[in-house]
C-alpha cells in the first residue's frame, strides 16, 4: 500500500516568514494530493490540493508543488500569520480510493 | 457546500458498553464514507471504508467485530464501538466522498472517553 512521510513534525516560524512542509509518497499510482489544516479538537479542513497532471498550484499565500518523478510534494505558506498556527496533514490517494495521511506537522507562528 | 455532521460530538461511557456514532452527509449523497481514528497529536488512521449497501472494508489490524459499520443509506453511516474499553478512547472522524470526485469532506469528529 501507499506510505506517506511528512517532515518536519514541528515547525516554528516568525510572523511574516515562510513555512515549508514536505511529504513523500511511495505509490506512483497515487494521483491526488490534498493538504489539510486541523485545529485542536476540530475537523481537518482542506486548504489546497493538487492532481498529478499539474506541477504547481497557488491560492493566495498558499502554494503546493508536486514532483512526480521524485514522488514528493510540498506545502508553502508565505507571509505567515498567527492564525496559520495549526497541525497540517498531507495525503496521497488514487482517485476514488482512501486517503493515506502523513504524520502531521505542528506549525507555530510566533507573533 | 458539502457538509458532514457527526453525532454525538462527545460521549463518555462505562467500560463494556457499546457506543454508536453517526456520520451524515447533509447536502449531498455519499456512496462512500470513511472512518478514521485519531489519537492526540497523531495523524488520522483509516479504520474502514464504508460503501452504501455493502459490507465495509476494514484496514489491517482493525477488528470488524469490534467496530461495526453500517452504511444503510446514501447519507448515513454508523460506527458502533462494541464492548468499549479505555483503550478505545479516541477521536473518531468520518469523511464522505461526493460523487466520484477526489475530495473528502470531514465530519467534526466524535470524542469517545471510556471510563
Amino acid at each position: 500500500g501507499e506510505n506517506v512521510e511528512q517532515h518536519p513534525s514541528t515547525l516554528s516560524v516568525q510572523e511574516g516568514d515562510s513555512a515549508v512542509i514536505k511529504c513523500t509518497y511511495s505509490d506512483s499510482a497515487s494521483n491526488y494530493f490534498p493538504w489539510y489544516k486541523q485545529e485542536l479538537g476540530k475537523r481537518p479542513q482542506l486548504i489546497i490540493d493538487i492532481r498529478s497532471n499539474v506541477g504547481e498550484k497557488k491560492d493566495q499565500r498558499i502554494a503546493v508543488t508536486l514532483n512526480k518523478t521524485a514522488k514528493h510534494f510540498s506545502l508553502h505558506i508565505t507571509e505567515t500569520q498567527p492564525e496559520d498556527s495549526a497541525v497540517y496533514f498531507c495525503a496521497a490517494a488514487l482517485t476514488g480510493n482512501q486517503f493515506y495521511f502523513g504524520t502531521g506537522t505542528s506549525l507555530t507562528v510566533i507573533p | 457546500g458539502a457538509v458532514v455532521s457527526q453525532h454525538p460530538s462527545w460521549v463518555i461511557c462505562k467500560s463494556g458498553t457499546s457506543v454508536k456514532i453517526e456520520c451524515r452527509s447533509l447536502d449531498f449523497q455519499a456512496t462512500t464514507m470513511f472512518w478514521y481514528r485519531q489519537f492526540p497529536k497523531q495523524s488520522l488512521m483509516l479504520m474502514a471504508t464504508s460503501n452504501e449497501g455493502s459490507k465495509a472494508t476494514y484496514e489491517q489490524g482493525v477488528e470488524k467485530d469490534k467496530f461495526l459499520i453500517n452504511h444503510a443509506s446514501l447519507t448515513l453511516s454508523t460506527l458502533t464501538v462494541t464492548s468499549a474499553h479505555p483503550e478505545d478512547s479516541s477521536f473518531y472522524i468520518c469523511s464522505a466522498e461526493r460523487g466520484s470526485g477526489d475530495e473528502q469532506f470531514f465530519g467534526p469528529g466524535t470524542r469517545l472517553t471510556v471510563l
Side-chain angles (χ1 to χ4, degrees):
Chain A
E2 176 66 274
N3 180 43
V4 179
E5 295 189 356
Q6 183 172 347
H7 299 280
S9 57
T10 60
L11 178 61
S12 293
V13 298
Q14 290 291 135
E15 182 177 358
D17 288 350
S18 296
V20 180
I21 303 171
K22 298 181 179 182
C23 288
T24 62
Y25 62 100
S26 61
D27 189 349
S28 56
S30 292
N31 58 5
Y32 178 63
F33 307 92
W35 284 90
Y36 286 86
K37 177 183 179 182
Q38 187 180 30
E39 297 177 1
L40 188 63
K42 296 188 177 180
R43 78 184 82 195
Q45 298 275 13
L46 179 70
I47 55 172
I48 197 167
D49 57 12
I50 192 167
R51 289 173 173 77
S52 58
N53 58 348
V54 176
E56 184 174 356
K57 184 177 178 180
K58 189 174 182 180
D59 182 4
Q60 298 182 328
R61 297 187 296 109
I62 296 173
V64 58
T65 58
L66 171 65
N67 184 326
K68 282 205 68 180
T69 303
K71 289 189 280 191
H72 66 71
F73 55 113
S74 301
L75 177 71
H76 304 252
I77 305 174
T78 58
E79 301 172 29
T80 53
Q81 301 166 2
E83 49 266 38
D84 293 331
S85 296
V87 178
Y88 291 80
F89 293 99
C90 64
L94 177 62
T95 301
N97 290 279
Q98 64 266 36
F99 286 6
Y100 293 91
F101 283 91
T103 48
T105 296
S106 178
L107 173 65
T108 302
V109 180
I110 305 167
Chain B
V3 181
V4 177
S5 70
Q6 271 182 253
H7 177 80
S9 57
W10 192 10
V11 56
I12 302 174
C13 69
K14 292 182 179 180
S15 185
T17 60
S18 294
V19 175
K20 180 186 282 188
I21 303 170
E22 294 184 347
C23 176
R24 293 181 185 271
S25 55
L26 299 185
D27 52 1
F28 67 100
Q29 294 183 331
T31 52
T32 303
M33 291 185 173
F34 302 88
W35 286 97
Y36 296 87
R37 183 174 181 176
Q38 187 176 33
F39 291 105
K41 298 185 179 181
Q42 293 190 24
S43 188
L44 292 87
M45 183 194 79
L46 180 67
M47 298 175 66
T49 302
S50 170
N51 294 295
E52 186 267 337
S54 63
K55 291 183 178 180
T57 302
Y58 291 81
E59 294 298 299
Q60 193 171 12
V62 179
E63 300 175 57
K64 61 179 69 175
D65 295 330
K66 171 77 172 175
F67 300 98
L68 301 178
I69 292 173
N70 184 280
H71 194 157
S73 78
L74 288 171
T75 59
L76 173 65
S77 176
T78 60
L79 168 68
T80 301
V81 183
T82 62
S83 187
H85 288 92
E87 57 266 30
D88 298 324
S89 298
S90 188
F91 195 52
Y92 292 88
I93 306 178
C94 71
S95 69
E97 191 177 87
R98 180 172 59 182
S100 59
D102 297 319
E103 188 176 352
Q104 291 184 23
F105 300 91
F106 284 85
T110 296
R111 185 164 303 283
L112 171 63
T113 302
V114 184
L115 302 176

